[in-house]
Amino acid sequence: MPEGAMRDGRGTRDFDAVVIGAGFSGLYLLHLLRDRLGLSVRVLERAEGVGGTWWWNRYPGARCDSESHGYAYFFSREIHEAWSWSERYPGHAEIRRYLNFVADRLDLKRDIRFGTEVTGAEWDETSGAWAVRTDAGETLRATYLVTATGCLSSANLPRIPGRDDFAGEAYHTGQWPHEGVDFSGKRVGQIGTGSTGIQAAPVIAETAGHLAVFQRTANYSVPARNHPLSEDRKREIRDGYDEIKALLHQTANGHPFDISQRKAFDVDEAERRRLYEKSWEVGGLRFRRVFADLLVDKTANDTAAEFLKDKIREIVADPETAEDLADIDHPYAAKRPPIDTHYFETFNRPNVTLVNLRKDPIKRIVPEGVELESGKVHELDVLVFATGFDAMTGPLIRLNLTGKDGLTLAEAWKAGPRTWLGLAVPGFPNLFTVTGPGSPSVLTNMPVAIEQHCEWIAGSIAMMNERGLTRIEATPEAAEAWIRHVNDAADATLLPQAGHSWYLGANVPGKPRVFMPYAGGMPRYREICRRVVEGGYEGFRLGGGEAAPVGDFVSATAPGV
Ligand code: N01
């Protein structure tokens, strides 16, 4: 029996819970389960340190688009007051410093095994435990398995013909070398113009000899207007714990600002323009707060879209480049809206070229660079893949989970993910998924969603222990009801209208097209989770007994965000 292993009536287990991942979710779960519930917990993390997605995403310009004072834990007033952010948006290194600070303060690292990748996990019905295998060759047995693997941790490296033939240096932004990359004087190609590419290009262009940006889908972007926080503002944030927390919990997306009640056509064109200009100056995701109906009314959205396309035409000097950049085919914010620091301005530099792949697609990658259908070859020394992630389902399927009756997660989700609340999966007892598909996660300011998920999961495990129960499993009926509700919530918005969005899995060839995140808003989601508990864990089968059916409340169409 391994050291620290316990034996109960159903066999040997090493831990009450194994948690996979040591980002925002894994750290808080460890604290909740170990320090508040007194359970034995082991966190397994493939990186050599805490940080989750921020451990890997160190590409030039990597910075969060949530404002720093809201991109943090709010479970502890002490932690809030002891930490001070330096800029309006936190950079990747500062986020890692913050998470290290929290981990050290709560003495979490002693229960985290770093540099350890989970290679598979199997549910054992007889002993009622998960057997979790690692690349170190060991198997840990635990009553509960919680995935805290994040939504954006599985890099999407597109299978472009000849990809591995490239003779120069190649990097994916989500697996960036810790020592950085020297672009000085080099010919650099960047594939991808999502949030990542839009952040990276201006920084790469500063030192590269030449930068070619390969754009398949044109994208909106609003200036981030990042700046250092003044000492007064830092003090205001430190003393504003209650107000900030209340605001984060009340807004649909968990950001520390409200969306206006005003609709786009409540004002005339001149006033609309004035309000857009003002919002453009404020910058960042706050641009969206200007009108209530931007994400639910296409005509309203068109006014924002036209404003933003006009801004591109104003900023970019070369008319053809400007038109290529402004040739955007989806409603504003129907894909995750990027925010930037001088992205469009970058195309006015003499060392930057936009390559419009809609006009001339990539044929293949050759040793010298990227060859287009026309036969033109862009010769490159460095190729940067800013091509995103196999989002939401990718990190979970990669874990090789096998539930009851030998059902693998990959098989169970062949036609798309099936979860109850994004937190539990039918056929996979005692498994909880933080920010799983079907949860609000990526449509929110993540730490707000993460805190709710972790507290809900810890509360459920506490309930199990108090009632002497050992098995909890979502029912297929609950997952069906939730899929319908997630679709209804998405359909009440313009979000599904961006057909190439990673929200739909459309960026990964062969991935089922299912709208994955929950668009009904965080307060409504929080309320549903609360009612599930109050209803006796509706949609769950507890301890092998009768399942509590799912109440009517999830079948009603949710208002859009
Ligand atoms: O990834 P993306 P991302 N050939 O999937 C292109 C978060 N994030 O890493 O749209 C050519 O959005 C692809 O083109 P298309 C945030 O949630 C946050 O940028 O599929 N191009 C697209 O342009 C964000 O939404 C922050 O046609 C190919 C790009 O690669 C999420 O991460 C910062 C291609 C991928 O865009 C993901 O953003 C960064 C191919 N074969 C990221 N395959 C902040 O907090 C893909 N592309 C600020």
Side-chain angles (χ1 to χ4, degrees):
M1 220 156 87
E3 197 190 337
M6 302 160 288
R7 187 176 286 283
D8 64 15
R10 294 163 303 128
T12 306
R13 58 204 67 221
D14 306 308
F15 298 98
D16 293 313
V18 163
V19 174
I20 309 174
F24 269 94
S25 309
L27 294 180
Y28 187 34
L29 270 167
L30 173 56
H31 173 58
L32 285 172
L33 299 180
R34 184 192 73 180
D35 303 335
R36 301 229 185 133
L37 301 190
L39 304 183
S40 62
V41 187
R42 169 58 45 87
V43 177
L44 300 173
E45 167 57 64
R46 78 188 150 107
E48 294 296 341
V50 302
T53 197
W54 298 106
W55 172 267
W56 305 99
N57 280 273
R58 300 171 185 232
Y59 59 86
R63 185 178 289 285
C64 187
D65 56 3
S66 291
E67 294 180 6
S68 53
H69 67 290
Y71 193 75
Y73 292 116
F74 275 82
F75 65 83
S76 158
R77 181 187 298 273
E78 290 69 34
I79 286 177
H80 171 85
E81 290 178 352
W83 180 260
S84 181
W85 295 103
S86 66
E87 295 175 89
R88 177 174 174 184
Y89 306 94
H92 63 95
E94 189 165 28
I95 299 171
R96 283 193 302 279
R97 280 199 295 280
Y98 171 74
L99 290 174
N100 272 292
F101 157 79
V102 174
D104 291 337
R105 197 172 168 107
L106 299 175
D107 192 17
L108 297 177
K109 288 178 185 167
R110 66 184 155 93
D111 288 309
I112 306 173
R113 178 86 52 81
F114 293 108
T116 305
E117 182 151 9
V118 170
T119 53
E122 287 84 37
W123 169 252
D124 177 12
E125 192 68 61
T126 315
S127 60
W130 281 93
V132 186
R133 287 177 283 111
T134 75
D135 61 353
E138 49 176 2
T139 300
L140 305 179
R141 299 177 62 78
T143 308
Y144 297 100
L145 177 62
V146 191
T147 60
T149 38
C151 298
L152 300 168
S153 55
S154 191
N156 169 42
L157 202 53
R159 287 190 214 99
I160 300 171
R163 189 189 69 199
D164 301 330
D165 298 340
F166 182 58
E169 306 160 56
Y171 306 98
H172 188 284
T173 47
Q175 296 167 341
W176 204 255
H178 289 196
E179 62 281 12
V181 175
D182 180 10
F183 295 107
S184 322
K186 293 181 184 163
R187 299 163 303 173
V188 183
Q190 174 188 301
I191 302 179
T193 53
S195 303
T196 299
I198 283 176
Q199 283 188 325
V203 186
I204 295 174
E206 281 172 17
T207 54
H210 184 267
L211 171 66
V213 178
F214 295 89
Q215 169 190 282
R216 188 166 66 180
T217 303
N219 219 336
Y220 302 95
S221 188
V222 170
R225 307 215 188 277
N226 187 37
H227 53 75
L229 296 176
S230 67
E231 290 309 312
D232 280 352
R233 179 67 183 133
K234 287 182 189 171
R235 201 169 314 114
E236 200 176 270
I237 292 169
R238 193 190 58 224
D239 298 343
Y241 175 80
D242 293 314
E243 296 77 34
I244 300 168
K245 184 172 180 176
L247 195 52
L248 292 171
H249 281 215
Q250 132 201 349
T251 58
N253 304 95
H255 284 290
F257 51 83
D258 272 323
I259 306 280
S260 164
Q261 299 289 310
R262 179 183 51 212
K263 293 183 174 176
F265 292 102
D266 287 349
V267 295
D268 65 18
E269 197 180 334
E271 176 63 0
R272 212 164 33 245
R273 178 97 202 168
R274 194 188 68 77
L275 290 168
Y276 279 138
E277 286 288 355
K278 205 171 138 196
S279 304
W280 174 264
E281 288 310 315
V282 171
L285 295 179
R286 284 179 190 254
F287 182 83
R288 276 178 51 189
R289 69 189 299 206
V290 59
F291 294 120
D293 49 350
L294 290 186
L295 253 185
V296 292
D297 179 344
K298 176 71 168 56
T299 337
N301 191 289
D302 286 346
T303 65
E306 278 317 308
F307 174 85
L308 293 171
K309 289 176 187 178
D310 282 349
K311 281 291 177 197
I312 299 173
R313 296 182 186 111
E314 260 173 47
I315 295 169
V316 179
D318 174 56
E320 195 184 334
T321 306
E323 274 323 303
D324 286 346
L325 287 164
D327 185 19
I328 308 173
D329 62 0
H330 55 278
Y332 168 63
K335 287 177 102 167
R336 172 82 169 213
I339 66 173
D340 70 274
T341 301
H342 308 314
Y343 175 63
F344 295 116
E345 290 83 345
T346 296
F347 294 94
N348 294 335
R349 297 178 67 114
N351 67 334
V352 177
T353 313
L354 181 73
V355 183
N356 186 341
L357 300 178
R358 287 274 168 94
K359 289 181 177 166
D360 195 357
I362 295 177
K363 184 176 177 193
R364 61 183 167 191
I365 292 174
V366 292
E368 310 79 54
V370 171
E371 183 182 341
L372 305 180
E373 289 289 351
S374 64
K376 182 178 170 58
V377 175
H378 286 267
E379 294 192 358
L380 304 168
D381 304 308
V382 186
L383 188 49
V384 174
F385 289 92
T387 45
F389 303 90
D390 180 358
M392 302 196 82
T393 51
L396 295 173
I397 288 177
R398 195 175 62 183
L399 293 173
N400 295 316
L401 305 181
T402 306
K404 65 181 192 193
D405 305 324
L407 180 70
T408 64
L409 192 66
E411 188 61 28
W413 285 3
K414 213 164 59 182
R418 299 162 56 77
T419 71
W420 178 212
L421 308 170
L423 289 166
V425 185
F428 294 76
N430 291 15
L431 170 73
F432 293 106
T433 52
V434 186
T435 64
S439 73
S441 55
V442 290
L443 296 178
T444 67
N445 172 32
M446 289 294 269
V448 174
I450 284 170
E451 279 196 349
Q452 186 274 346
H453 291 321
C454 293
E455 286 161 15
W456 193 93
I457 291 167
S460 302
I461 293 177
M463 173 282 296
M464 298 285 290
N465 289 349
E466 277 157 24
R467 291 171 59 182
L469 297 169
T470 50
R471 191 180 190 285
I472 178 168
E473 182 187 356
T475 65
E477 295 76 21
E480 285 308 318
W482 192 243
I483 288 168
R484 279 197 302 276
H485 182 64
V486 169
N487 282 331
D488 287 347
D491 289 342
T493 72
L494 303 177
L495 290 166
Q497 291 191 23
H500 33 60
S501 153
W502 60 259
Y503 294 158
L504 280 161
N507 61 327
V508 178
K511 188 164 169 170
R513 292 211 177 188
V514 176
F515 195 85
M516 293 184 287
Y518 176 58
M522 199 53 214
R524 183 178 169 85
Y525 177 81
R526 192 185 293 277
E527 174 64 11
I528 291 172
C529 290
R530 195 182 61 73
R531 288 171 67 170
V532 164
V533 172
E534 277 180 2
Y537 279 82
E538 293 184 24
F540 285 98
R541 200 177 292 280
L542 299 181
E546 283 292 298
V550 178
D552 290 342
F553 59 89
V554 291
S555 55
T557 299
V561 289

